Amino acid sequence: CEDYGVSQWLADLRELAGSGEQLGVDNIMGIEIFNEPYDYSWSEWRSLIDQAYDAINPVNSNILIFAGGIGPMNNSETADSPHGAEETTPNWGENLYEAGGNPPAMPKDRLVYCPHAFGPSMYVQTQFMDPDQPGCEGFEGDRAGDEKYNIVINPVLLEQGWEEHFGYLKDLGYAIVIGAFGGN
């Protein structure tokens, strides 16, 4: 089996973009181009968003491009991608922190950012750790669950994280749709 790469991905996006005409329907409004691109830096993902637009636009110039955010890690380094405050780590697909200052070149009116925002039942992020429980600071993920640390929903930290990760893009004139959400 040949590896699935960028050229095949772009071919598949072109096929999806033409599927409305092929099926005889006119109600396909957009394509989420990739689910949770957690393994990319913002500059890598931004370039891929533009490549997706360049592949889709000649086939269907009316369809919207839905692009999620990157995850907290990327394949270029072992360090976290920038995401704002240390105490608010993003979910996979939530981190659009760098998008405002370095947006894709594609037209703004065709781009819909679609971050994914989940609760701690999906992934225990730093901001869900109980600050009053000794020893749990800095823990997240499976390790936090394995250690049976208390989980709290702090609305102030949650709102701060969402604003830093993607909320600010609304003020810059971008469309935002939460692409996936849930968890308690």
Side-chain angles (χ1 to χ4, degrees):
C1 172
E2 186 176 309
D3 287 342
Y4 187 83
V6 173
S7 60
Q8 183 61 54
W9 172 66
L10 294 173
D12 289 346
L13 289 176
R14 282 189 290 276
E15 184 175 340
L16 283 171
S19 64
E21 186 176 316
Q22 182 182 7
L23 296 170
V25 298
D26 62 1
N27 61 349
I28 298 173
M29 62 178 266
I31 299 172
E32 182 176 5
I33 57 173
F34 194 87
N35 182 50
E36 298 177 351
Y38 64 88
D39 204 24
Y40 293 100
S41 68
W42 174 251
S43 64
E44 292 166 330
W45 179 228
R46 183 187 55 79
S47 173
L48 289 168
I49 293 169
D50 283 329
Q51 289 177 57
Y53 170 78
D54 289 343
I56 291 169
N57 191 54
V59 177
N60 186 335
S61 61
N62 294 315
I63 206 158
L64 298 172
I65 309 297
F66 284 72
I70 60 174
M73 301 298 284
N74 66 56
N75 65 2
S76 302
E77 313 171 32
T78 56
D80 285 344
S81 294
H83 61 76
E86 188 175 320
E87 65 271 10
T88 59
T89 49
N91 278 295
W92 288 2
E94 182 179 321
N95 187 0
L96 291 160
Y97 181 78
E98 296 177 272
N102 189 14
M106 66 170 287
K108 188 187 248 186
D109 66 347
R110 295 277 305 284
L111 177 61
V112 179
Y113 285 120
C114 61
H116 294 186
F118 293 104
S121 65
M122 295 294 293
Y123 185 80
V124 180
Q125 296 165 273
T126 305
Q127 65 264 28
F128 296 133
M129 299 308 299
D130 184 349
D132 296 328
Q133 187 175 11
C136 71
E137 186 177 319
F139 280 85
E140 65 180 346
D142 291 340
R143 188 168 177 208
D146 293 344
E147 296 291 330
K148 300 194 184 336
Y149 288 119
N150 294 333
I151 294 172
V152 297
I153 306 294
N154 179 331
V156 172
L157 280 180
L158 201 57
E159 184 177 346
Q160 175 188 335
W162 288 347
E163 183 62 27
E164 289 175 337
H165 302 154
F166 58 85
Y168 76 97
L169 291 165
K170 179 184 177 286
D171 296 335
L172 297 176
Y174 288 97
I176 300 172
V177 171
I178 303 300
F181 58 93
N184 51 9

